[in-house]
């Protein structure tokens, strides 16, 4: 339990509120049943023998702005070091933009509903573009998309996604650094130093999440473990 306070008419009123759920280690193949450590929007996703399938999207298998994410129940992962991994399969016939991140991950209406306020992968599997970015995404904005808000504190291309491949993506927190990498691809890695970047999210907003924009993509074998 945690103690909360609010001022009412100049008088401080105290109450006990539940402590936030802790940042835990877990492993889930995403084939079912649903993990107690994840919040999954089942209006958009379904558990299947292959993993968590994006089963419904506003634009079907064509790239769109319906970019919902599944995330951990706990937002306390800023409190500790960890390694977070997810396997991703984007079918060759699907145009998609996949996100895997650490932070708020709320939809930024000013930038096509892309998850915001986080360190995240931006995995493109689009005709003529199979780039993987490592991004430090600023908090969401209420500016219209046409205003062209600055949405990234830092952005680096680290590799390519091979369509239809099962690819592991890793986020590793070590003190003030956050490293995004594709472990099976030599050199596909980028490290951010949180101490020199703007604050992307609060102490209770350190969620781990993954999501995408179109039908057909499958997420599997999510795992969170200590470093080392």
């Amino acid at each position: 339990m945690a103690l909360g306070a609010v001022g009412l008419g100049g008088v401080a009123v105290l109450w006990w509120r539940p402590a936030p759920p802790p940042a835990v280690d877990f492993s889930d193949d995403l084939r079912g049943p649903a993990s107690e450590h994840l919040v999954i929007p089942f209006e958009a996703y379904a558990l299947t023998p292959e993993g968590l399938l994006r089963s419904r999207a506003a634009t079907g298998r064509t790239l769109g702005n319906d970019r919902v994410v599944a995330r951990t129940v706990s937002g306390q992962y800023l409190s500790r070091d960890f390694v977070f991994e997810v396997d991703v399969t984007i079918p060759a016939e699907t145009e998609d933009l996949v996100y895997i991140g650490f932070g708020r991950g709320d939809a930024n209406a000013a930038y096509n509903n892309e998850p915001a306020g986080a360190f995240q992968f931006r995995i493109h599997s689009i005709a003529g573009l199979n780039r993987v970015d490592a991004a430090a995404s600023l908090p969401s904005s209420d500016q219209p998309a046409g205003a062209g808000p600055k949405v990234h504190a830092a952005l680096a291309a680290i590799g390519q996604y091979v369509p239809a491949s099962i690819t592991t993506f890793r986020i590793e927190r070590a003190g003030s650094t956050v490293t995004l990498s594709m472990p099976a691809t030599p050199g596909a890695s980028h490290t951010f130093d949180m101490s020199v970047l703007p604050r992307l999210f609060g102490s209770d907003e350190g969620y781990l999440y993954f999501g995408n924009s179109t039908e057909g993509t499958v997420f599997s074998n999510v795992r969170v473990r200590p470093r080392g």
Side-chain angles (χ1 to χ4, degrees):
M1 303 290 283
L3 184 65
V6 64
L8 295 175
V11 178
V13 178
L14 304 179
W15 78 97
W16 290 102
R17 57 185 172 86
V24 298
D25 299 323
F26 69 96
S27 179
D28 187 346
D29 60 13
L30 298 175
R31 292 168 172 83
S35 170
E36 63 179 327
H37 302 299
L38 291 171
V39 178
I40 299 173
F42 283 111
E43 67 275 11
Y45 294 93
L47 295 166
T48 74
E50 288 71 42
L52 187 67
L53 168 71
R54 182 65 190 268
S55 54
R56 288 184 291 277
T59 54
R61 288 179 177 258
T62 302
L63 183 66
N65 297 340
D66 184 7
R67 301 176 181 184
V68 295
V69 301
R71 71 179 190 180
T72 53
V73 171
S74 176
Q76 301 296 306
Y77 285 92
L78 191 59
S79 67
R80 51 162 286 193
D81 292 348
F82 62 83
V83 176
F84 167 47
E85 294 178 324
V86 184
D87 296 343
V88 176
T89 307
I90 308 172
E93 66 274 17
T94 295
E95 289 192 334
D96 204 359
L97 185 49
V98 172
Y99 304 91
I100 299 168
F102 165 41
R104 290 175 62 182
D106 58 321
N108 188 354
Y111 196 62
N112 305 317
N113 292 325
E114 183 164 305
F119 298 97
Q120 68 180 358
F121 287 101
R122 304 173 71 249
I123 305 159
H124 304 74
S125 188
I126 305 166
L129 179 62
N130 296 103
R131 189 182 71 239
V132 177
D133 294 334
S137 298
L138 293 168
S140 56
S141 169
D142 59 2
Q143 299 179 60
K150 181 179 179 182
V151 294
H152 299 124
L155 180 71
I158 66 169
Q160 291 188 318
Y161 175 77
V162 178
S165 67
I166 301 174
T167 302
T168 298
F169 294 89
R170 175 185 294 166
I171 298 178
E172 183 171 0
R173 158 80 187 282
S176 68
T177 65
V178 178
T179 299
L180 277 63
S181 65
M182 301 164 63
T185 304
S189 176
H190 185 83
T191 298
F192 297 102
D193 186 345
M194 290 189 287
S195 68
V196 299
L197 288 170
R199 187 176 178 85
L200 303 182
F201 52 93
S203 58
D204 293 333
E205 300 173 323
Y207 297 95
L208 306 177
Y209 65 85
F210 49 93
N212 69 316
S213 71
T214 62
E215 297 171 6
T217 292
V218 174
F219 299 91
S220 58
N221 300 316
V222 58
R223 53 263 191 207
V224 183
R225 58 177 171 82
R227 293 185 61 246

